[in-house]
């Protein structure tokens, strides 16, 4: 199950998504529960907008992985406790800079092996020259990106 703007739905289905929903729908949580039932794990990079919905569609003892932001405000801690939700705050920067956290070297090695044997493909959405890195950052913050942004020297 994934969400994206409609123009990216066919690409996500091609990548293997069974269900793709438009994240701008007013009834997004209801639609996901109706089509898929409840889910076990949610990876969210926009928790301030979707946290309440995430909790609503999550199974008992489900997990939410937040991969963005420095702060998270929870409007209803009771629902998290009632469902016994595990909430994980993740930062790739922390994994690289803090020695007491898991070493991601093994993960990166596995990913590189998958890439080398064509078992994993990476979609590049846009390429920017280093001189226009500000545009890349602005697009990352404001536009719908379906793949990686690459900045070249």
């Amino acid at each position: 199950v994934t969400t994206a703007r409609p123009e990216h739905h066919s690409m996500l289905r091609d990548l293997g998504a069974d269900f793709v929903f438009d994240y701008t729908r007013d009834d997004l949580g209801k639609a996901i529960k109706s089509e898929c039932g409840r889910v076990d794990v949610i990876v969210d990079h926009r928790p301030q907008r979707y946290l309440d919905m995430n909790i609503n569609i999550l199974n008992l003892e489900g997990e939410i992985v937040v991969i963005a932001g420095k702060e998270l405000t929870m409007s209803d801690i009771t629902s998290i406790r009632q469902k016994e939700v595990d909430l994980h705050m993740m930062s790739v920067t922390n994994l690289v800079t803090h020695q007491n956290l898991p070493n991601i070297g093994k993960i990166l090695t596995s990913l590189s092996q998958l890439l080398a044997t064509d078992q994993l493909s990476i979609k590049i959405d846009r390429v920017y020259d280093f001189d226009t890195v500000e545009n890349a950052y602005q697009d990352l913050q404001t536009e719908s990106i379906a793949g990686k942004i690459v900045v070249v020297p």
Side-chain angles (χ1 to χ4, degrees):
V1 178
T2 191
T3 62
R5 289 188 180 172
E7 62 264 27
H8 303 304
H9 287 195
S10 63
M11 177 198 65
L12 292 168
R13 285 189 186 96
D14 290 346
L15 291 171
D18 293 323
F19 299 96
V20 183
F21 296 91
D22 180 352
Y23 61 78
T24 64
R25 292 176 67 153
D26 291 333
D27 67 338
L28 179 60
K30 186 182 229 180
I32 292 172
K33 277 174 56 176
S34 173
E35 298 253 350
C36 312
R38 294 192 185 274
V39 297
D40 295 317
V41 177
I42 296 172
V43 178
D44 193 346
H45 71 285
R46 299 189 66 192
Q48 289 304 118
R49 181 170 181 180
Y50 296 107
L51 184 62
D52 291 335
M53 181 201 70
N54 291 344
I55 295 165
N56 184 38
I57 65 173
L58 200 62
N59 275 324
L60 182 65
E61 298 182 351
E63 299 186 49
I64 298 174
V65 179
V66 175
I67 59 171
K70 296 178 183 177
E71 296 179 7
L72 179 61
T73 303
M74 293 180 229
S75 61
D76 184 11
I77 193 77
T78 304
S79 60
I80 291 175
R81 287 183 177 150
Q82 288 174 338
K83 284 194 169 184
E84 299 180 28
V85 171
D86 284 334
L87 182 63
H88 308 274
M89 304 294 286
M90 183 192 153
S91 167
V92 174
T93 303
N94 284 346
L95 291 175
V96 173
T97 59
H98 296 298
Q99 293 183 1
N100 60 332
L101 294 176
N103 182 338
I104 63 168
K106 290 180 183 179
I107 296 168
L108 296 176
T109 299
S110 295
L111 289 174
S112 67
Q113 290 170 347
L114 291 172
L115 281 168
T117 58
D118 290 328
Q119 296 178 38
L120 177 67
S121 62
I122 296 176
K123 180 180 182 330
I124 297 174
D125 188 283
R126 301 172 194 182
V127 177
Y128 295 86
D129 292 326
F130 188 73
D131 296 339
T132 60
V133 71
E134 298 89 6
N135 296 342
Y137 182 75
Q138 182 176 350
D139 287 352
L140 184 62
Q141 298 297 315
T142 61
E143 295 193 27
S144 179
I145 305 297
K148 297 297 178 188
I149 289 180
V150 176
V151 178
V152 294

